[in-house]
Amino acid sequence: MRPAIFIALLLLSPALLAADGHALYQNHCAACHGLDGQGGVGIPLALAAFQAQASDDYLARTIRHGRPGRIMPPFSQLSDADIQAIIGYIRSWQPTIKPPVYQDTAVAGNAITGKKLFDQHCSSCHGANGVGGRGTGVMFSRPHDLPIVPPALNNSGFLASASDAMIHSVIAHGRSNTPMPAAKLLGVTPTQINDIVSYIRSLKPAPLADISHEPAILVADSPYNYDETIAKVKAAAVGMNFRLIRDQALDSGLVEDGKETRSHMMVYFCNFKFLYDALAIDPRVGLFLPCRVTVIKTADGKVKVMSINPKRLSHIFNNNELDQACEEMHKLYTSILEEATL
Ligand code: HEC
Ligand code: HEC
């Protein structure tokens, strides 16, 4: 084959264009939405009912904005062409479904009536004021009642992406093969759907944690010597209902027993109730666990107690609920540091 023809074929081949979207999808989306769009932490994108409701415009905006505070990150680093390629790949799972196109006109509903209807029919799943279902849908220890976590509707990313007409369509039809029921099933009339859409449109996004002033680690100076400080840290943790797990010198296991450094001790502790609650919110919290406070003796003999700042770590995960749990962790760590150095 002549090179020019070969290149022309390459450029024209839809399979190769799809391969590009495929790679981008695998890199950026598959971890949460599943390799074949079957869903996971993120909702199933391959589902026929979803594809028949989501416009390409909605998909593009959703990818751009993400869902602030609801795990899905914004993809500002992707070019418009990248996003179109990903959408092309997502559509390849349902080649016979023609993507809908919605008008951008606002529905004329009554938001006050809409709120009542929402509280009656929707908030049991989507949460009061549309904050969304709790957790990630991924659980280690027990089955959960909803296989798919109901999305947040008060979310800035959702509200900036979905037109009124699309929200109307989702409520009217529900989503087959997900827990999302059709309006008819709930006894909700077409006029009432308009009221609900107007209410959803009026929702205020949940505030996001502000970590701009948060240090990466929490540090307190200890007035006690090294061994006393370690003992104080343990007593403080136990006093706050933690169970001590172990303490470990920085080089323990790397040097002979008894020869470990006497300047860097990590105290590990755990509270099982807190641990299970936190893991149910987001299994990635496992990266922070068990709780750990480090006691350090500096070269000039000063003793410091320090821990990670859970608020800073949590921020990486774009999860409001995790931010709240880490706010609690932050308080606990701060109290232990204060108590131990009092
Ligand atoms: C039994 C639980 C349940 C009830 C009740 C319910 N939903 Fe849902 N809803 C879901 C789930 C789960 C999804 C995600 C479906 C999916 O995976 O595509 C969803 C999706 C949606 C979406 C699409 C959101 C998005 O991010 O694309 C909208 C809009 C919505 N629901 C509105 C409503 C409204 C309004 C009501 C009340 C009239 C309602 N839902 C009742 C569970 C529920
Ligand atoms: C870190 C996990 C994560 C990643 C990565 C991620 N998503 Fe999501 N996505 C989610 C979650 C979680 C939701 C539901 C948000 C909620 O519960 O409020 C969601 C929602 C969506 C929705 C809205 C679904 C609906 O019902 O309307 C679309 C579309 C979507 N994601 C597409 C993508 C695409 C495409 C990518 C890759 C470019 C991607 N997501 C990357 C977790 C993720």
Side-chain angles (χ1 to χ4, degrees), residues 6-85:
F6 183 68
I7 289 166
L9 277 177
L10 264 184
L11 289 175
L12 288 172
S13 162
L16 282 167
L17 287 178
D20 183 28
H22 184 184
L24 286 162
Y25 177 87
Q26 282 194 321
N27 284 340
H28 298 292
C29 324
C32 294
H33 290 280
L35 270 180
D36 305 310
Q38 75 275 23
V41 169
I43 68 134
L45 301 174
L47 213 68
F50 169 71
Q51 297 233 0
Q53 285 167 359
S55 61
D56 284 352
D57 178 60
Y58 171 74
L59 293 177
R61 286 170 191 253
T62 300
I63 296 169
R64 213 25 117 211
H65 298 300
R67 297 276 164 102
R70 292 288 296 179
I71 301 178
M72 171 148 167
F75 289 90
S76 45
Q77 77 277 28
L78 294 179
S79 70
D80 288 344
D82 289 343
I83 290 181
Q84 289 311 317

Side-chain angles (χ1 to χ4, degrees), residues 90 175 183 188 218 312-313 325 338:
I90 290 174
R175 287 226 179 118
V188 169
L218 308 173
R312 270 285 283 273
L313 252 183
E338 274 171 10

Side-chain angles (χ1 to χ4, degrees), residues 21-261:
H22 184 184
L24 286 162
Y25 177 87
Q26 282 194 321
N27 284 340
H28 298 292
C29 324
C32 294
H33 290 280
L35 270 180
D36 305 310
Q38 75 275 23
V41 169
I43 68 134
L45 301 174
L47 213 68
F50 169 71
Q51 297 233 0
Q53 285 167 359
S55 61
D56 284 352
D57 178 60
Y58 171 74
L59 293 177
R61 286 170 191 253
T62 300
I63 296 169
R64 213 25 117 211
H65 298 300
R67 297 276 164 102
R70 292 288 296 179
I71 301 178
M72 171 148 167
F75 289 90
S76 45
Q77 77 277 28
L78 294 179
S79 70
D80 288 344
D82 289 343
I83 290 181
Q84 289 311 317
I86 293 173
I87 295 174
Y89 178 65
I90 290 174
R91 294 297 184 194
S92 74
W93 291 317
Q94 293 287 353
T96 58
I97 291 177
K98 192 167 172 285
V101 178
Y102 296 106
Q103 302 293 325
D104 215 8
T105 37
V107 306
N110 180 331
I112 296 166
T113 317
K115 176 174 171 45
K116 289 191 193 120
L117 292 161
F118 189 89
D119 290 347
Q120 190 182 344
H121 298 292
C122 322
S123 63
S124 57
C125 288
H126 289 281
N129 308 311
V131 295
R134 292 180 63 80
T136 58
V138 178
M139 300 281 271
F140 293 129
S141 47
R142 61 193 148 91
H144 42 91
D145 47 359
L146 288 181
I148 300 156
V149 175
L153 304 177
N154 72 340
N155 188 270
S156 61
F158 172 69
L159 291 170
S161 305
S163 60
D164 282 12
M166 178 177 149
I167 301 176
H168 191 286
S169 170
V170 176
I171 301 171
H173 299 105
R175 287 226 179 118
S176 311
N177 297 312
T178 81
M180 173 67 200
K184 221 181 199 164
L185 211 77
L186 299 168
V188 169
T189 67
T191 320
Q192 289 177 324
I193 297 178
N194 285 347
D195 296 340
I196 296 174
V197 174
S198 293
Y199 168 65
I200 291 175
R201 196 46 82 192
S202 76
L203 291 173
K204 298 279 172 292
L208 298 176
D210 176 14
I211 56 135
S212 49
H213 302 294
E214 289 295 332
I217 49 173
L218 308 173
V219 189
D221 292 318
S222 173
Y224 307 102
N225 73 30
Y226 184 66
D227 289 327
E228 282 165 354
T229 307
I230 294 169
K232 283 240 166 208
V233 165
K234 291 182 185 172
V238 169
M240 264 156 244
N241 287 324
F242 283 99
R243 195 182 286 197
L244 296 174
I245 300 179
R246 66 174 191 280
D247 44 81
Q248 185 185 331
L250 182 65
D251 52 0
S252 133
L254 302 173
V255 297
E256 247 177 82
D257 271 1
K259 296 262 173 71
E260 295 93 351
T261 171

